[in-house]
Amino acid sequence: MCREKCEAPALLDASRRGGHNSAMKHTGFMDIALDEARAAGERGEVPVGAVLVDGATGAIVAHAGNRTEESCDPTAHAEMLVIRAAAAQRGEARLPDCDLYVTLEPCAMCAAAISFARIRRLYYGAADPKGGGVEHGPRFFAQPTCHHRPEVYGGIGEGDAAALLRAFFRERRGPNAERGKEL
């Protein structure tokens, strides 16, 4: 069993957000994910945040922002961090009763992890035509080799998430940089 091997990373301690609040709507969870994305951006990370919620109780199980640069780990995407923390906390590799809120359409790696963890529902903010793996790119959940397909809802908090990403990259590229494709 995983329980003996895993420990939840302290940085993803769900108690930091106060746990259960059944009245919180989808936008409330996405607001928390946006807070995590802002914090990631302030650390110099691509501003993406994620929140994993127990679908039955509405309790926040884990939340995180990207930490790829800080941890020198290309897999330290927000989605991966919350899935790892929740699996470790619960001592289980599968999270079928959980819903994931993320500010940007997950990449193929994260989509695979979402599938393998058996996440119940995926809610994301901004679409990612260049690097997305759900509605764009490989469309992971549409592949015949995909064993689990969560319910997917895009566009929640899309304007705020896209604006945050645009501002982050505009700052990095400078005022004279060529304008890339819009998010």
Side-chain angles (χ1 to χ4, degrees):
M1 286 297 279
C2 293
R3 193 173 304 276
E4 296 163 6
K5 298 179 193 172
C6 302
E7 292 183 24
L11 67 103
L12 299 173
D13 180 7
S15 66
R16 200 173 93 190
R17 288 282 183 195
H20 176 67
N21 182 352
S22 61
M24 188 176 276
K25 296 181 180 180
H26 299 299
T27 55
F29 292 124
M30 190 59 76
D31 286 342
I32 295 168
L34 284 162
D35 288 345
E36 291 290 346
R38 286 183 197 96
E42 290 170 8
R43 293 191 304 271
E45 303 281 354
V46 174
V48 177
V51 176
L52 194 69
V53 177
D54 183 306
T57 66
I60 295 174
V61 179
H63 52 89
N66 278 358
R67 291 188 179 272
T68 58
E69 300 299 324
E70 175 184 305
S71 63
C72 299
D73 178 358
T75 70
H77 292 193
E79 303 95 307
M80 300 293 284
L81 295 174
V82 297
I83 290 169
R84 287 176 191 155
Q89 177 187 333
R90 292 181 170 197
E92 300 172 342
R94 306 283 184 266
L95 306 166
D97 60 336
C98 290
D99 300 336
L100 177 63
Y101 293 79
V102 62
T103 58
L104 182 65
E105 175 185 351
C107 69
M109 173 187 69
C110 293
I114 290 164
S115 178
F116 294 153
R118 307 295 194 262
I119 300 294
R120 182 176 75 158
R121 293 186 185 115
L122 167 64
Y123 300 91
Y124 71 85
D128 188 356
K130 283 184 165 182
V134 176
E135 300 292 330
H136 297 90
R139 293 182 167 94
F140 188 86
F141 303 132
Q143 299 304 315
T145 55
C146 179
H147 297 290
H148 170 75
R149 293 162 181 83
E151 295 175 30
V152 177
Y153 304 92
I156 297 171
E158 180 175 17
D160 291 339
L164 186 60
L165 287 156
R166 278 193 302 269
F168 176 83
F169 288 112
R170 184 173 36 248
E171 182 180 308
R172 300 287 172 296
R173 293 178 182 136
N176 297 324
E178 276 189 51
R179 192 174 171 127
K181 291 184 180 178
E182 292 294 318
L183 286 174

Short mmCIF file of all heavy atoms in Angstrom, two decimals, residues 24-91:
data_model
loop_
_atom_site.label_atom_id
_atom_site.label_comp_id
_atom_site.label_asym_id
_atom_site.label_seq_id
_atom_site.Cartn_x
_atom_site.Cartn_y
_atom_site.Cartn_z
N MET A 24 -19.47 26.91 -0.96
CA MET A 24 -18.56 27.46 -1.96
C MET A 24 -18.89 26.92 -3.35
O MET A 24 -19.03 25.73 -3.54
CB MET A 24 -17.11 27.11 -1.60
CG MET A 24 -16.09 27.81 -2.47
SD MET A 24 -14.43 27.45 -1.93
CE MET A 24 -14.25 28.67 -0.66
N LYS A 25 -19.02 27.79 -4.33
CA LYS A 25 -19.34 27.39 -5.69
C LYS A 25 -18.06 27.14 -6.47
O LYS A 25 -16.96 27.39 -5.99
CB LYS A 25 -20.17 28.48 -6.36
CG LYS A 25 -21.51 28.68 -5.69
CD LYS A 25 -22.30 29.73 -6.40
CE LYS A 25 -23.63 29.89 -5.70
NZ LYS A 25 -24.47 30.87 -6.32
N HIS A 26 -18.23 26.69 -7.70
CA HIS A 26 -17.09 26.42 -8.57
C HIS A 26 -16.18 27.63 -8.68
O HIS A 26 -14.96 27.49 -8.65
CB HIS A 26 -17.55 25.99 -9.96
CG HIS A 26 -18.35 24.75 -9.95
ND1 HIS A 26 -17.87 23.54 -9.51
CD2 HIS A 26 -19.63 24.51 -10.33
CE1 HIS A 26 -18.80 22.63 -9.59
NE2 HIS A 26 -19.88 23.18 -10.09
N THR A 27 -16.75 28.81 -8.78
CA THR A 27 -15.92 30.00 -8.91
C THR A 27 -15.10 30.24 -7.64
O THR A 27 -14.00 30.75 -7.71
CB THR A 27 -16.76 31.25 -9.24
OG1 THR A 27 -17.79 31.40 -8.25
CG2 THR A 27 -17.39 31.13 -10.61
N GLY A 28 -15.63 29.85 -6.50
CA GLY A 28 -14.88 30.00 -5.25
C GLY A 28 -13.63 29.13 -5.24
O GLY A 28 -12.56 29.57 -4.84
N PHE A 29 -13.77 27.89 -5.69
CA PHE A 29 -12.60 27.02 -5.76
C PHE A 29 -11.62 27.52 -6.81
O PHE A 29 -10.41 27.47 -6.61
CB PHE A 29 -13.01 25.57 -6.07
CG PHE A 29 -13.76 24.90 -4.95
CD1 PHE A 29 -15.01 24.35 -5.17
CD2 PHE A 29 -13.22 24.82 -3.67
CE1 PHE A 29 -15.70 23.73 -4.13
CE2 PHE A 29 -13.90 24.22 -2.63
CZ PHE A 29 -15.16 23.67 -2.87
N MET A 30 -12.16 28.03 -7.91
CA MET A 30 -11.27 28.58 -8.95
C MET A 30 -10.58 29.84 -8.44
O MET A 30 -9.42 30.08 -8.78
CB MET A 30 -12.04 28.87 -10.24
CG MET A 30 -11.13 29.21 -11.40
SD MET A 30 -9.92 27.90 -11.83
CE MET A 30 -10.96 26.75 -12.68
N ASP A 31 -11.24 30.62 -7.59
CA ASP A 31 -10.59 31.80 -7.00
C ASP A 31 -9.39 31.38 -6.15
O ASP A 31 -8.35 32.05 -6.16
CB ASP A 31 -11.58 32.60 -6.15
CG ASP A 31 -12.57 33.40 -6.98
OD1 ASP A 31 -12.33 33.61 -8.19
OD2 ASP A 31 -13.61 33.81 -6.41
N ILE A 32 -9.52 30.28 -5.44
CA ILE A 32 -8.40 29.77 -4.64
C ILE A 32 -7.28 29.30 -5.56
O ILE A 32 -6.10 29.57 -5.31
CB ILE A 32 -8.87 28.65 -3.69
CG1 ILE A 32 -9.84 29.23 -2.66
CG2 ILE A 32 -7.66 28.00 -3.00
CD1 ILE A 32 -10.57 28.19 -1.85
N ALA A 33 -7.64 28.64 -6.66
CA ALA A 33 -6.63 28.22 -7.64
C ALA A 33 -5.94 29.45 -8.23
O ALA A 33 -4.72 29.44 -8.43
CB ALA A 33 -7.27 27.38 -8.74
N LEU A 34 -6.70 30.51 -8.49
CA LEU A 34 -6.10 31.75 -9.00
C LEU A 34 -5.15 32.37 -7.97
O LEU A 34 -4.10 32.90 -8.34
CB LEU A 34 -7.18 32.75 -9.40
CG LEU A 34 -7.88 32.44 -10.72
CD1 LEU A 34 -9.20 33.19 -10.83
CD2 LEU A 34 -6.97 32.76 -11.89
N ASP A 35 -5.49 32.30 -6.68
CA ASP A 35 -4.58 32.76 -5.63
C ASP A 35 -3.27 31.99 -5.67
O ASP A 35 -2.19 32.56 -5.54
CB ASP A 35 -5.21 32.62 -4.24
CG ASP A 35 -6.33 33.62 -3.97
OD1 ASP A 35 -6.45 34.62 -4.72
OD2 ASP A 35 -7.08 33.38 -3.00
N GLU A 36 -3.37 30.67 -5.85
CA GLU A 36 -2.17 29.83 -5.95
C GLU A 36 -1.37 30.20 -7.19
O GLU A 36 -0.13 30.22 -7.16
CB GLU A 36 -2.55 28.35 -5.97
CG GLU A 36 -3.10 27.83 -4.66
CD GLU A 36 -2.05 27.74 -3.56
OE1 GLU A 36 -0.84 27.81 -3.84
OE2 GLU A 36 -2.45 27.57 -2.39
N ALA A 37 -2.06 30.51 -8.29
CA ALA A 37 -1.38 30.90 -9.52
C ALA A 37 -0.64 32.23 -9.32
O ALA A 37 0.51 32.38 -9.76
CB ALA A 37 -2.38 31.02 -10.67
N ARG A 38 -1.29 33.19 -8.67
CA ARG A 38 -0.63 34.48 -8.39
C ARG A 38 0.63 34.28 -7.54
O ARG A 38 1.67 34.87 -7.80
CB ARG A 38 -1.60 35.43 -7.70
CG ARG A 38 -2.65 35.99 -8.62
CD ARG A 38 -3.56 37.00 -7.91
NE ARG A 38 -4.75 37.19 -8.70
CZ ARG A 38 -5.91 36.55 -8.51
NH1 ARG A 38 -6.04 35.70 -7.50
NH2 ARG A 38 -6.93 36.78 -9.30
N ALA A 39 0.51 33.44 -6.52
CA ALA A 39 1.67 33.16 -5.66
C ALA A 39 2.79 32.51 -6.47
O ALA A 39 3.97 32.83 -6.28
CB ALA A 39 1.25 32.27 -4.49
N ALA A 40 2.43 31.60 -7.37
CA ALA A 40 3.44 30.96 -8.22
C ALA A 40 4.13 32.01 -9.08
O ALA A 40 5.35 32.02 -9.21
CB ALA A 40 2.80 29.88 -9.10
N GLY A 41 3.36 32.91 -9.68
CA GLY A 41 3.93 33.98 -10.50
C GLY A 41 4.87 34.86 -9.72
O GLY A 41 5.93 35.26 -10.22
N GLU A 42 4.52 35.16 -8.46
CA GLU A 42 5.39 35.97 -7.61
C GLU A 42 6.71 35.27 -7.31
O GLU A 42 7.72 35.91 -7.05
CB GLU A 42 4.66 36.35 -6.32
CG GLU A 42 3.54 37.34 -6.56
CD GLU A 42 2.63 37.54 -5.35
OE1 GLU A 42 2.95 37.01 -4.26
OE2 GLU A 42 1.60 38.21 -5.51
N ARG A 43 6.70 33.93 -7.36
CA ARG A 43 7.93 33.15 -7.14
C ARG A 43 8.71 32.99 -8.43
O ARG A 43 9.74 32.31 -8.45
CB ARG A 43 7.59 31.76 -6.60
CG ARG A 43 7.01 31.70 -5.22
CD ARG A 43 6.94 30.27 -4.68
NE ARG A 43 6.21 29.34 -5.54
CZ ARG A 43 4.91 29.10 -5.49
NH1 ARG A 43 4.17 29.72 -4.61
NH2 ARG A 43 4.36 28.21 -6.30
N GLY A 44 8.19 33.55 -9.54
CA GLY A 44 8.87 33.41 -10.82
C GLY A 44 8.47 32.18 -11.61
O GLY A 44 9.07 31.85 -12.63
N GLU A 45 7.45 31.49 -11.14
CA GLU A 45 6.93 30.31 -11.82
C GLU A 45 5.84 30.74 -12.80
O GLU A 45 5.21 31.78 -12.62
CB GLU A 45 6.30 29.34 -10.81
CG GLU A 45 7.21 28.87 -9.70
CD GLU A 45 8.16 27.77 -10.12
OE1 GLU A 45 8.05 27.25 -11.26
OE2 GLU A 45 9.02 27.41 -9.31
N VAL A 46 5.59 29.93 -13.82
CA VAL A 46 4.44 30.18 -14.68
C VAL A 46 3.21 30.14 -13.77
O VAL A 46 3.04 29.19 -12.99
CB VAL A 46 4.34 29.13 -15.80
CG1 VAL A 46 3.06 29.31 -16.59
CG2 VAL A 46 5.55 29.22 -16.72
N PRO A 47 2.37 31.18 -13.81
CA PRO A 47 1.27 31.29 -12.85
C PRO A 47 0.10 30.35 -13.14
O PRO A 47 -0.88 30.72 -13.78
CB PRO A 47 0.85 32.76 -12.97
CG PRO A 47 1.21 33.13 -14.36
CD PRO A 47 2.45 32.35 -14.69
N VAL A 48 0.24 29.14 -12.66
CA VAL A 48 -0.83 28.15 -12.74
C VAL A 48 -1.07 27.64 -11.33
O VAL A 48 -0.12 27.34 -10.60
CB VAL A 48 -0.46 26.98 -13.68
CG1 VAL A 48 -1.56 25.92 -13.69
CG2 VAL A 48 -0.22 27.50 -15.09
N GLY A 49 -2.33 27.55 -10.95
CA GLY A 49 -2.70 27.05 -9.63
C GLY A 49 -3.75 25.98 -9.75
O GLY A 49 -4.51 25.92 -10.72
N ALA A 50 -3.80 25.12 -8.73
CA ALA A 50 -4.76 24.01 -8.73
C ALA A 50 -5.29 23.79 -7.32
O ALA A 50 -4.59 24.03 -6.33
CB ALA A 50 -4.11 22.73 -9.24
N VAL A 51 -6.52 23.31 -7.25
CA VAL A 51 -7.17 22.95 -5.99
C VAL A 51 -7.85 21.61 -6.22
O VAL A 51 -8.58 21.43 -7.19
CB VAL A 51 -8.23 24.01 -5.58
CG1 VAL A 51 -8.97 23.58 -4.32
CG2 VAL A 51 -7.59 25.36 -5.38
N LEU A 52 -7.63 20.67 -5.31
CA LEU A 52 -8.29 19.37 -5.36
C LEU A 52 -9.31 19.33 -4.23
O LEU A 52 -8.97 19.60 -3.07
CB LEU A 52 -7.28 18.23 -5.23
CG LEU A 52 -7.81 16.85 -5.61
CD1 LEU A 52 -8.07 16.77 -7.11
CD2 LEU A 52 -6.82 15.77 -5.20
N VAL A 53 -10.55 19.00 -4.57
CA VAL A 53 -11.67 19.08 -3.64
C VAL A 53 -12.32 17.71 -3.49
O VAL A 53 -12.51 17.00 -4.49
CB VAL A 53 -12.71 20.10 -4.17
CG1 VAL A 53 -13.93 20.16 -3.26
CG2 VAL A 53 -12.09 21.47 -4.33
N ASP A 54 -12.68 17.36 -2.27
CA ASP A 54 -13.46 16.15 -2.03
C ASP A 54 -14.87 16.44 -2.55
O ASP A 54 -15.55 17.34 -2.04
CB ASP A 54 -13.48 15.83 -0.54
CG ASP A 54 -14.23 14.56 -0.22
OD1 ASP A 54 -15.41 14.42 -0.64
OD2 ASP A 54 -13.66 13.70 0.46
N GLY A 55 -15.29 15.71 -3.57
CA GLY A 55 -16.57 15.98 -4.20
C GLY A 55 -17.77 15.74 -3.31
O GLY A 55 -18.81 16.36 -3.48
N ALA A 56 -17.64 14.87 -2.33
CA ALA A 56 -18.76 14.55 -1.44
C ALA A 56 -18.95 15.61 -0.35
O ALA A 56 -20.08 15.95 -0.01
CB ALA A 56 -18.55 13.18 -0.80
N THR A 57 -17.85 16.12 0.17
CA THR A 57 -17.95 17.05 1.31
C THR A 57 -17.67 18.50 0.94
O THR A 57 -18.02 19.40 1.69
CB THR A 57 -16.95 16.67 2.41
OG1 THR A 57 -15.61 16.85 1.92
CG2 THR A 57 -17.15 15.23 2.87
N GLY A 58 -17.00 18.73 -0.19
CA GLY A 58 -16.60 20.08 -0.55
C GLY A 58 -15.35 20.55 0.16
O GLY A 58 -14.94 21.70 0.03
N ALA A 59 -14.70 19.66 0.90
CA ALA A 59 -13.48 20.01 1.62
C ALA A 59 -12.30 20.08 0.64
O ALA A 59 -12.19 19.26 -0.27
CB ALA A 59 -13.17 18.97 2.69
N ILE A 60 -11.46 21.07 0.84
CA ILE A 60 -10.25 21.17 0.03
C ILE A 60 -9.25 20.14 0.54
O ILE A 60 -8.89 20.14 1.72
CB ILE A 60 -9.68 22.60 0.08
CG1 ILE A 60 -10.67 23.56 -0.59
CG2 ILE A 60 -8.31 22.64 -0.61
CD1 ILE A 60 -10.28 25.01 -0.48
N VAL A 61 -8.82 19.28 -0.34
CA VAL A 61 -7.88 18.21 0.01
C VAL A 61 -6.45 18.71 -0.15
O VAL A 61 -5.59 18.43 0.68
CB VAL A 61 -8.13 16.96 -0.86
CG1 VAL A 61 -7.14 15.86 -0.53
CG2 VAL A 61 -9.57 16.48 -0.71
N ALA A 62 -6.18 19.46 -1.23
CA ALA A 62 -4.84 19.99 -1.47
C ALA A 62 -4.94 21.17 -2.43
O ALA A 62 -5.89 21.28 -3.20
CB ALA A 62 -3.94 18.91 -2.07
N HIS A 63 -3.96 22.05 -2.37
CA HIS A 63 -3.89 23.20 -3.27
C HIS A 63 -2.43 23.56 -3.47
O HIS A 63 -1.61 23.38 -2.56
CB HIS A 63 -4.68 24.40 -2.73
CG HIS A 63 -4.33 24.75 -1.33
ND1 HIS A 63 -3.33 25.64 -1.02
CD2 HIS A 63 -4.81 24.30 -0.14
CE1 HIS A 63 -3.23 25.74 0.30
NE2 HIS A 63 -4.12 24.94 0.85
N ALA A 64 -2.10 24.03 -4.67
CA ALA A 64 -0.70 24.36 -4.96
C ALA A 64 -0.63 25.19 -6.23
O ALA A 64 -1.57 25.23 -7.03
CB ALA A 64 0.13 23.09 -5.15
N GLY A 65 0.50 25.83 -6.39
CA GLY A 65 0.85 26.50 -7.64
C GLY A 65 2.07 25.82 -8.21
O GLY A 65 2.75 25.05 -7.53
N ASN A 66 2.37 26.11 -9.46
CA ASN A 66 3.55 25.52 -10.10
C ASN A 66 4.80 25.74 -9.25
O ASN A 66 4.97 26.80 -8.63
CB ASN A 66 3.78 26.16 -11.47
CG ASN A 66 2.93 25.55 -12.55
OD1 ASN A 66 2.17 24.62 -12.33
ND2 ASN A 66 3.06 26.09 -13.75
N ARG A 67 5.70 24.76 -9.27
CA ARG A 67 6.97 24.84 -8.55
C ARG A 67 8.10 24.20 -9.35
O ARG A 67 9.04 23.65 -8.79
CB ARG A 67 6.87 24.19 -7.17
CG ARG A 67 5.98 24.96 -6.21
CD ARG A 67 6.04 24.41 -4.81
NE ARG A 67 5.21 25.17 -3.91
CZ ARG A 67 5.61 26.26 -3.24
NH1 ARG A 67 6.83 26.70 -3.36
NH2 ARG A 67 4.77 26.90 -2.44
N THR A 68 8.01 24.27 -10.68
CA THR A 68 9.02 23.61 -11.51
C THR A 68 10.39 24.24 -11.37
O THR A 68 11.40 23.53 -11.30
CB THR A 68 8.60 23.61 -12.99
OG1 THR A 68 8.41 24.94 -13.42
CG2 THR A 68 7.33 22.81 -13.20
N GLU A 69 10.46 25.55 -11.35
CA GLU A 69 11.75 26.25 -11.23
C GLU A 69 12.32 26.10 -9.83
O GLU A 69 13.49 25.77 -9.66
CB GLU A 69 11.60 27.73 -11.59
CG GLU A 69 11.10 27.99 -13.00
CD GLU A 69 12.01 27.45 -14.07
OE1 GLU A 69 13.25 27.48 -13.89
OE2 GLU A 69 11.50 26.97 -15.10
N GLU A 70 11.50 26.34 -8.84
CA GLU A 70 11.93 26.28 -7.44
C GLU A 70 12.48 24.90 -7.08
O GLU A 70 13.48 24.78 -6.37
CB GLU A 70 10.74 26.63 -6.54
CG GLU A 70 11.01 26.48 -5.07
CD GLU A 70 9.75 26.75 -4.27
OE1 GLU A 70 9.16 27.83 -4.44
OE2 GLU A 70 9.37 25.87 -3.48
N SER A 71 11.82 23.86 -7.56
CA SER A 71 12.22 22.50 -7.19
C SER A 71 13.11 21.82 -8.24
O SER A 71 13.48 20.67 -8.05
CB SER A 71 10.97 21.65 -6.94
OG SER A 71 10.22 21.54 -8.12
N CYS A 72 13.42 22.55 -9.33
CA CYS A 72 14.20 21.96 -10.43
C CYS A 72 13.59 20.63 -10.87
O CYS A 72 14.28 19.64 -11.09
CB CYS A 72 15.66 21.77 -10.02
SG CYS A 72 16.49 23.31 -9.61
N ASP A 73 12.26 20.64 -11.00
CA ASP A 73 11.51 19.44 -11.33
C ASP A 73 10.52 19.77 -12.43
O ASP A 73 9.53 20.46 -12.19
CB ASP A 73 10.78 18.94 -10.09
CG ASP A 73 9.93 17.70 -10.34
OD1 ASP A 73 9.86 17.22 -11.49
OD2 ASP A 73 9.31 17.23 -9.36
N PRO A 74 10.75 19.31 -13.65
CA PRO A 74 9.84 19.63 -14.75
C PRO A 74 8.44 19.05 -14.58
O PRO A 74 7.52 19.45 -15.29
CB PRO A 74 10.54 19.05 -15.98
CG PRO A 74 11.42 17.98 -15.45
CD PRO A 74 11.84 18.43 -14.08
N THR A 75 8.27 18.12 -13.64
CA THR A 75 6.94 17.56 -13.41
C THR A 75 6.18 18.27 -12.29
O THR A 75 5.06 17.88 -11.98
CB THR A 75 7.01 16.05 -13.08
OG1 THR A 75 7.60 15.87 -11.79
CG2 THR A 75 7.78 15.29 -14.14
N ALA A 76 6.75 19.28 -11.69
CA ALA A 76 6.13 19.96 -10.54
C ALA A 76 5.07 20.97 -10.97
O ALA A 76 5.05 22.11 -10.52
CB ALA A 76 7.19 20.60 -9.66
N HIS A 77 4.18 20.53 -11.85
CA HIS A 77 3.03 21.34 -12.24
C HIS A 77 2.03 21.34 -11.09
O HIS A 77 1.98 20.38 -10.31
CB HIS A 77 2.37 20.77 -13.49
CG HIS A 77 3.21 20.88 -14.72
ND1 HIS A 77 2.69 20.66 -15.97
CD2 HIS A 77 4.51 21.17 -14.91
CE1 HIS A 77 3.63 20.83 -16.88
NE2 HIS A 77 4.76 21.13 -16.25
N ALA A 78 1.22 22.36 -11.00
CA ALA A 78 0.25 22.49 -9.92
C ALA A 78 -0.63 21.24 -9.80
O ALA A 78 -0.88 20.75 -8.69
CB ALA A 78 -0.60 23.74 -10.12
N GLU A 79 -1.09 20.73 -10.93
CA GLU A 79 -1.96 19.55 -10.92
C GLU A 79 -1.25 18.34 -10.33
O GLU A 79 -1.82 17.60 -9.52
CB GLU A 79 -2.41 19.18 -12.35
CG GLU A 79 -3.13 20.27 -13.10
CD GLU A 79 -2.19 21.09 -13.98
OE1 GLU A 79 -1.16 21.60 -13.50
OE2 GLU A 79 -2.50 21.22 -15.17
N MET A 80 -0.01 18.14 -10.73
CA MET A 80 0.77 17.01 -10.23
C MET A 80 0.98 17.13 -8.72
O MET A 80 0.88 16.14 -7.99
CB MET A 80 2.12 16.93 -10.94
CG MET A 80 2.02 16.75 -12.45
SD MET A 80 1.33 15.18 -12.95
CE MET A 80 2.74 14.11 -12.67
N LEU A 81 1.26 18.35 -8.27
CA LEU A 81 1.51 18.56 -6.84
C LEU A 81 0.28 18.26 -5.99
O LEU A 81 0.39 17.62 -4.94
CB LEU A 81 2.00 19.99 -6.60
CG LEU A 81 3.35 20.33 -7.22
CD1 LEU A 81 3.66 21.81 -7.04
CD2 LEU A 81 4.46 19.47 -6.63
N VAL A 82 -0.90 18.69 -6.43
CA VAL A 82 -2.10 18.41 -5.62
C VAL A 82 -2.48 16.93 -5.67
O VAL A 82 -2.93 16.38 -4.66
CB VAL A 82 -3.30 19.31 -5.98
CG1 VAL A 82 -2.98 20.78 -5.71
CG2 VAL A 82 -3.80 19.12 -7.38
N ILE A 83 -2.28 16.30 -6.81
CA ILE A 83 -2.58 14.86 -6.90
C ILE A 83 -1.63 14.08 -6.00
O ILE A 83 -2.05 13.20 -5.25
CB ILE A 83 -2.52 14.37 -8.36
CG1 ILE A 83 -3.69 14.94 -9.16
CG2 ILE A 83 -2.50 12.84 -8.43
CD1 ILE A 83 -3.59 14.74 -10.66
N ARG A 84 -0.34 14.41 -6.04
CA ARG A 84 0.63 13.72 -5.18
C ARG A 84 0.30 13.93 -3.71
O ARG A 84 0.35 12.99 -2.90
CB ARG A 84 2.04 14.26 -5.44
CG ARG A 84 2.64 13.82 -6.73
CD ARG A 84 4.00 14.48 -6.93
NE ARG A 84 4.49 14.28 -8.27
CZ ARG A 84 5.34 15.08 -8.87
NH1 ARG A 84 5.82 16.15 -8.25
NH2 ARG A 84 5.75 14.83 -10.10
N ALA A 85 -0.02 15.16 -3.33
CA ALA A 85 -0.31 15.46 -1.93
C ALA A 85 -1.56 14.72 -1.46
O ALA A 85 -1.58 14.15 -0.37
CB ALA A 85 -0.49 16.97 -1.74
N ALA A 86 -2.61 14.72 -2.27
CA ALA A 86 -3.85 14.05 -1.88
C ALA A 86 -3.65 12.54 -1.79
O ALA A 86 -4.14 11.90 -0.85
CB ALA A 86 -4.95 14.39 -2.88
N ALA A 87 -2.95 11.97 -2.75
CA ALA A 87 -2.70 10.52 -2.72
C ALA A 87 -1.89 10.15 -1.49
O ALA A 87 -2.18 9.15 -0.82
CB ALA A 87 -1.99 10.09 -4.00
N ALA A 88 -0.88 10.95 -1.17
CA ALA A 88 -0.07 10.68 0.02
C ALA A 88 -0.89 10.84 1.30
O ALA A 88 -0.81 10.00 2.20
CB ALA A 88 1.14 11.62 0.04
N GLN A 89 -1.67 11.89 1.35
CA GLN A 89 -2.50 12.15 2.53
C GLN A 89 -3.49 11.01 2.78
O GLN A 89 -3.69 10.59 3.91
CB GLN A 89 -3.25 13.46 2.34
CG GLN A 89 -4.20 13.82 3.45
CD GLN A 89 -5.03 15.06 3.11
OE1 GLN A 89 -4.62 15.90 2.34
NE2 GLN A 89 -6.20 15.15 3.69
N ARG A 90 -4.07 10.52 1.71
CA ARG A 90 -5.08 9.46 1.83
C ARG A 90 -4.48 8.05 1.82
O ARG A 90 -5.17 7.10 2.12
CB ARG A 90 -6.09 9.58 0.70
CG ARG A 90 -6.94 10.82 0.83
CD ARG A 90 -7.94 10.91 -0.28
NE ARG A 90 -8.89 11.97 -0.02
CZ ARG A 90 -10.04 12.08 -0.62
NH1 ARG A 90 -10.41 11.19 -1.53
NH2 ARG A 90 -10.86 13.07 -0.33
N GLY A 91 -3.23 7.95 1.41
CA GLY A 91 -2.61 6.64 1.32
C GLY A 91 -3.19 5.79 0.21
O GLY A 91 -3.21 4.57 0.28
#
